[in-house]
């Protein structure tokens, strides 16, 4: 049987791409190696009666264009109200409401004012970048008249803001988040939050050059029309994944789970289908891959079909994750002083930097910083799940993850105990997923949320490589649409949407 398009990988980007292609009237097959769709946003039962998403736990960049195109709300998406961020510190909590703290609780009035000044500057710069992140990146030497018109419009917008703001944007694009936080703020807790939000998911510390880009990327998103806004979705992240899957089915996409793609068929230097692990062959006029560029081209296509320079560039792409996920099943709801939302545990900017330092040498921090949410939607009555993301957990751990899991879990629990005394006694099961676990259990290449680092040299028309910008591979008929493509990771769906529209427009000949 042949199809108009085969999409590999049923995470949110693969689901988005498949749905948009099917909406155009194409016959689409979506192949997923796992037993269910949703990728890192799907729901798993990690302990009897306790369900949670193994990777993602907040929505903070789901693009409104994706929501409307896929009609996600019609298919069950309920985002709910904006969730606050609570910074838990040894000196007491700070609560940020709305879109990244448009209102603060727990700080002095003068610090509130300083935060407002910094927030206004950063949101303004993120807003300038947002249009670049929401559209297909232009390719060097292939600027269409639409690309030129867009760039001209952005240049005029920036020029109208004045020379000072133009120079400030150029300066801040390349500096570290620590410089900005220390320039505006005095409160250690707010400095810690800015630093943490900038480096989560990055292999950078707050004093690393260009680390501010991570924060601008975060603030370029948002939900419910609020820049920097976030929600802990109703029904958990699995409900978000389910709405994507329902949209795909309604569009007529054929979904096959447990279908592991072994090879992408290339004939006469063109992708013409796939061969599954069971040896069966499926043909299509277009193949779209939502997995990483490395897994797609080096693994499924093979070096024999690629230029030697591209093979080398792909082989050295920074694609190993450094965030671990800790899942805790609790037989009671922990006491967090009545607060809810997203929690960040960090005392200061320097503490975030100190947590980063050991990762450079293949070690985990003995005093980790982390974020967590508490979810009761997939638990027995009176119980709860804590889902924590712990940065600076290197893929290649020097001591090995058999020992590392215990050490990191113990360190995180020690910090949680300080903020919720007795929480350790309520833990009935703990599971720490290191980057190699995220790779082996949930098919995330390198255990990396973004597939490829979100560094300054791996963004926009350079993502993941300039040869592969704009979702096109070097193999006609093969398109890339995963987190390793522009604009990057996070539950946004933009990579899948733009890649599918590129296929429809005939860019992927």
């Amino acid at each position: 049987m042949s199809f108009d398009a085969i999409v590999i990988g049923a995470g949110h980007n693969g689901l988005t791409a498949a749905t948009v292609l099917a909406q155009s009237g194409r016959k689409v097959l979506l192949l997923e190696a796992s037993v269910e769709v949703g990728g890192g946003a799907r729901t798993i039962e990690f302990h009897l009666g306790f369900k949670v998403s193994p990777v993602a736990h907040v929505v903070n960049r789901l693009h409104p264009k994706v929501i409307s195109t896929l009609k996600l709300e019609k298919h069950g998406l309920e985002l709910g109200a904006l969730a606050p961020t609570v910074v838990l510190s040894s000196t007491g909590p700070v609560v940020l409401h709305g879109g990244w703290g448009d209102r603060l609780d727990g700080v002095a009035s003068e610090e509130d004012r300083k935060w407002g000044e910094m927030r206004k500057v950063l949101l303004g710069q993120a807003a300038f970048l947002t249009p670049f992140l929401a559209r297909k990146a232009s390719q060097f030497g292939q600027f269409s008249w639409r690309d030129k018109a867009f760039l001209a419009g952005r240049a005029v917008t920036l020029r109208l803001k004045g020379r000072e703001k133009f120079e400030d944007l150029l300066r801040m694009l390349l500096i570290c988040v620590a410089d900005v936080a220390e320039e505006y703020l005095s409160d250690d807790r707010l400095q810690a939050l800015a630093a943490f939000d900038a480096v989560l998911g990055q292999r950078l510390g707050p004093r690393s050059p260009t680390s501010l880009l991570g924060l601008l990327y975060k603030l370029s998103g948002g939900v419910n029309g609020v820049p920097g806004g976030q929600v802990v979705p109703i029904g958990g992240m699995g409900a978000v994944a389910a709405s994507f899957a329902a949209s795909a089915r309604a569009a007529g996409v054929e979904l096959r789970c447990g279908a592991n793609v072994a090879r992408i068929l290339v004939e006469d230097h063109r992708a013409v289908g796939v061969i599954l692990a069971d040896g069966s062959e499926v043909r299509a006029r277009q193949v779209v891959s939502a997995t990483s560029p490395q897994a797609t081209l080096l693994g499924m296509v093979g070096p024999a079909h690629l230029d030697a320079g591209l093979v080398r560039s792909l082989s050295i792409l920074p694609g190993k994750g450094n965030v671990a996920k800790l899942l805790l099943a609790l037989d009671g709801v922990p006491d967090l002083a009545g607060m809810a939302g997203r929690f960040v545990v960090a005392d200061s900017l320097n503490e975030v930097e100190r947590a980063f330092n050991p990762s450079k040498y293949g070690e985990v921090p003995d005093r980790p910083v982390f974020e967590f949410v508490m979810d009761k939607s997939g638990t027995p009555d009176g119980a709860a799940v804590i889902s924590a993301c712990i940065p600076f957990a290197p893929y290649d751990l020097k001591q090995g993850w058999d020992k590392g899991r215990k050490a990191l879990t113990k360190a995180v629990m020690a910090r949680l105990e300080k903020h919720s005394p007795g929480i350790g006694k309520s833990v009935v099961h703990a599971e720490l997923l290191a980057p190699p676990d995220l790779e082996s259990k949930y098919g995330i290449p390198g255990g990396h949320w973004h597939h490829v680092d979100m560094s300054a040299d791996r963004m926009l028309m350079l993502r993941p490589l300039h040869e592969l910008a704009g979702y096109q591979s070097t193999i006609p008929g093969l398109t890339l649409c995963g987190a390793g493509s522009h604009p990057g990771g996070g539950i946004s769906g933009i990579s899948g949407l733009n890649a599918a529209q590129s296929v429809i427009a005939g860019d992927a000949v």
Side-chain angles (χ1 to χ4, degrees), residues 273-346:
V274 300
I275 296 178
L276 302 180
D278 64 7
S280 59
E281 181 180 301
V282 188
R283 291 188 168 250
R285 289 163 43 196
Q286 297 285 339
V287 177
V288 181
S289 175
T291 190
S292 74
Q294 306 95 309
T296 301
L297 293 168
L298 294 180
M300 298 179 191
V301 171
H305 298 286
L306 305 173
D307 177 80
L310 179 59
V311 171
R312 181 182 182 280
S313 296
L314 285 166
S315 65
I316 61 174
L317 270 180
K320 291 184 177 180
N322 79 331
V323 181
K325 190 74 184 284
L326 178 62
L327 308 175
L328 301 174
L330 310 176
D331 61 10
V333 179
D335 177 17
L336 290 166
M339 295 180 290
R342 166 188 174 242
F343 297 85
V344 174
V345 178

Side-chain angles (χ1 to χ4, degrees), residues 131-209:
F132 288 93
L133 300 177
R135 71 192 303 273
K136 176 184 172 183
S138 305
Q139 292 178 275
F140 287 118
Q142 299 182 32
F143 283 17
S144 67
W145 68 266
R146 288 188 178 87
D147 294 329
K148 294 174 182 177
F150 170 77
L151 292 172
R154 289 285 85 200
V156 170
T157 298
L158 189 57
R159 181 68 183 87
L160 291 175
K161 291 180 179 294
R163 178 176 177 177
E164 183 178 341
K165 289 191 176 180
F166 171 72
E167 291 176 346
D168 206 36
L169 174 63
L170 293 181
R171 176 180 71 90
M172 295 179 77
L173 285 176
L174 299 176
I175 65 176
C176 65
V177 67
D179 286 348
V180 178
E182 291 174 338
E183 176 183 343
Y184 283 94
L185 305 172
S186 302
D187 192 300
D188 283 343
R189 300 165 299 177
L190 293 178
Q191 288 184 359
L193 176 68
F196 182 89
D197 280 349
V199 300
L200 180 62
Q202 314 282 2
R203 292 194 297 174
L204 299 171
R207 299 195 183 280
S208 303

